[in-house]
Amino acid sequence: MADSNNSVSNDEILLSVRHLKKSYGDHEVLRDISFDVPRGKVFVLLGPSGSGKSTLIRCLNGLETIQGGTISFKGEPIDGREKTWRRLRTEIGMVFQSYDLFPNLTVAQNILLGPTKVQKRPKDEVERQMDGLLADVQLSEYRDAYPRELSGGQKQRIAIVRALTMNPELMLFDEVTASLDPEMVREVLELMLGLAEHHMTMIVVTHEMEFARRVADTVLFLENGVILERQSGHDFFTHPETDRAKAFLESMAPISDGE
């Protein structure tokens, strides 16, 4: 199994996972998961439904407790206490497929809430950052709109802007296009590609194979709670090492028209 992290020095590692285990009762969902994420790199988690991808990414933000192993961020092991995770969530942003915007707050109020209330940053400073990000994603005109006035793709871009306004060092994306209409998927993926081009460190769970091919520095292919294959994005999509990964890629390929 190829390991893309062999040549990475410790001071470049942002997130380190060692022998992570996660169970629900007697059902072991993740078994002995280990990997390092260097700064500025994009890791894509691929695998069939039920392989543990979403559970893993939720463990990395403290949304799921773990039963074994360690998670370290910037060289420091995370003790697992909720107080610690609350602090780290200002540095580890996460975007879900369900947007999670507060329906009774405007776009601006949704975005400003975390930086001003949690990080205690000056409102005018955060507003300048927010306005710049909204302009970047072409949503400035929706600053004072409510979530119900937005399309799914617009809501998801606002959710990403909200996370970025916290100035995270690591971004986690869990199937953020899964609930979108097909025509809305592109605008969200293009935003994420832009983040990758600006060297945002990201861990992404996705079923969008062409996007994964373009964005992944490293692919972790999971099945039955283990990392079955670990390769560079290029090598995984051109020369998968395992028969299971080959079968997965074939199952995700576009349907041929037979011509």
Side-chain angles (χ1 to χ4, degrees):
M1 179 183 294
D3 189 339
S4 62
N5 295 323
N6 285 342
S7 61
V8 178
S9 63
N10 288 335
D11 60 353
E12 294 176 323
I13 300 299
L14 184 61
L15 182 80
S16 182
V17 177
R18 288 290 177 272
H19 309 296
L20 187 146
K21 296 180 181 179
K22 169 66 185 175
S23 299
Y24 297 109
D26 294 331
H27 177 50
E28 198 169 29
V29 181
L30 298 172
R31 297 179 283 156
D32 199 27
I33 299 289
S34 297
F35 62 94
D36 292 328
V37 180
R39 290 180 183 274
K41 299 299 182 181
V42 178
F43 274 49
V44 174
L45 309 182
L46 297 179
S49 297
S51 60
K53 307 181 300 297
S54 288
T55 300
L56 173 56
I57 206 168
R58 289 173 63 85
C59 288
L60 303 181
N61 203 32
L63 298 175
E64 297 283 356
T65 57
I66 61 174
Q67 280 69 54
T70 60
I71 302 170
S72 299
F73 185 66
K74 297 195 294 189
E76 296 294 328
I78 299 171
D79 59 27
R81 295 183 298 171
E82 181 56 30
K83 180 179 179 181
T84 302
W85 278 117
R86 281 199 301 268
R87 174 177 58 81
L88 287 174
R89 286 186 193 120
T90 68
E91 301 180 69
I92 303 174
M94 185 161 182
V95 182
F96 307 86
Q97 61 177 276
S98 55
Y99 326 129
D100 292 331
L101 300 176
F102 294 106
N104 59 319
L105 300 181
T106 66
V107 164
Q109 290 169 335
N110 265 283
I111 295 170
L112 293 171
L113 191 61
T116 58
K117 299 299 184 183
V118 178
Q119 295 179 325
K120 309 297 184 184
R121 290 163 53 197
K123 185 178 179 181
D124 58 345
E125 169 202 312
V126 181
E127 283 186 324
R128 286 194 297 271
Q129 181 184 14
M130 174 188 70
D131 288 339
L133 288 168
L134 287 175
D136 288 343
V137 300
Q138 300 178 330
L139 289 175
S140 296
E141 64 188 282
Y142 295 98
R143 188 183 194 276
D144 298 316
Y146 286 88
R148 63 179 178 272
E149 302 173 66
L150 307 178
S151 70
Q154 289 168 336
K155 290 177 186 176
Q156 198 59 285
R157 283 183 286 163
I158 293 299
I160 295 172
V161 166
R162 180 179 59 178
L164 293 175
T165 310
M166 299 287 283
N167 295 324
E169 295 195 49
L170 171 66
M171 282 291 294
L172 310 175
F173 295 94
D174 186 14
E175 292 284 11
V176 295
T177 61
S179 60
L180 299 180
D181 291 336
E183 69 234 31
M184 298 176 184
V185 170
R186 182 183 181 91
E187 60 195 29
V188 175
L189 296 183
E190 285 181 345
L191 173 55
M192 294 170 66
L193 283 168
L195 295 177
E197 290 170 358
H198 285 85
H199 307 293
M200 168 64 76
T201 312
M202 301 192 291
I203 302 176
V204 181
V205 176
T206 185
H207 280 108
E208 300 287 341
M209 290 298 103
E210 184 55 34
F211 167 73
R213 182 194 296 268
R214 291 178 62 186
V215 80
D217 293 300
T218 297
V219 170
L220 302 181
F221 179 73
L222 278 70
E223 186 174 55
N224 297 324
V226 300
I227 298 175
L228 196 63
E229 190 161 333
R230 178 194 325 242
Q231 289 218 68
S232 72
H234 175 269
D235 288 348
F236 179 81
F237 284 101
T238 55
H239 304 292
E241 294 178 336
T242 62
D243 289 341
R244 184 64 188 92
K246 293 174 185 175
F248 173 80
L249 289 174
E250 289 172 1
S251 73
M252 301 297 286
I255 298 174
S256 171
D257 61 9
E259 294 181 2

